[in-house]
């Protein structure tokens, strides 16, 4: 996702917020310090990283594979999320 973010006009970068949700597959991946270290290593300054060790968001959003990109917008009713776009898997840079 970083490559797409970096290609955006700086004005657009300020208009979006990227939230990366980490749903660990292995027990060592559940450790917060490991997630922080990986985020720093990957230079993920453009995103907020959320740890979801119980895969609650993964299940609630119906995600079935990694990576999955969701674009959410404001919900006019004020309740819940407004899902605008979903893309699953890799190799979609040309679409983004």
């Amino acid at each position: 996702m970083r490559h797409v973010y970096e290609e955006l006009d700086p004005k657009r970068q300020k208009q979006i917020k990227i939230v990366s949700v980490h749903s660990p597959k292995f027990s060592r991946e559940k450790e917060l310090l490991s997630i922080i270290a990986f985020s720093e290593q990957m230079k993920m300054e453009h995103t907020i990283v959320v740890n979801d060790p119980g895969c609650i968001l993964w299940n609630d959003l119906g995600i079935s594979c990694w990576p999955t990109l969701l674009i959410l917008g404001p919900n006019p009713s004020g309740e819940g999320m407004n899902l605008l776009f979903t893309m699953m898997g890799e190799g979609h840079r040309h679409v983004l």
Side-chain angles (χ1 to χ4, degrees):
M1 194 63 213
R2 181 176 59 212
H3 62 277
V4 175
Y5 180 80
E6 290 172 350
E7 291 176 8
L8 291 174
D9 178 284
K11 291 178 187 176
R12 297 283 185 228
Q13 289 179 358
K14 292 178 183 179
Q15 295 174 338
I16 65 169
K17 181 57 72 179
I18 297 174
V19 178
S20 299
V21 179
H22 176 69
S23 300
K25 184 175 182 180
F26 304 105
S27 58
R28 72 179 183 282
E29 295 176 343
K30 294 180 182 182
E31 298 172 17
L32 186 57
L33 292 178
S34 296
I35 298 164
I36 291 169
F38 181 78
S39 299
E40 290 172 354
Q41 177 186 349
M42 297 301 293
K43 298 182 172 120
M44 296 175 66
E45 297 93 10
H46 64 282
T47 184
I48 296 169
V49 179
V50 176
N51 189 17
D52 183 24
C55 296
I56 294 168
L57 286 172
W58 177 281
N59 293 325
D60 286 352
L61 295 170
I63 297 171
S64 60
C65 70
W66 180 94
T68 298
L69 170 67
L70 303 172
I71 297 179
L72 305 171
N75 192 333
S77 72
E79 295 180 23
M81 296 175 279
N82 184 13
L83 180 60
L84 302 173
F85 179 82
T86 303
M87 183 178 291
M88 295 183 184
E90 296 179 327
H92 301 294
R93 184 177 182 171
H94 65 283
V95 175
L96 299 172

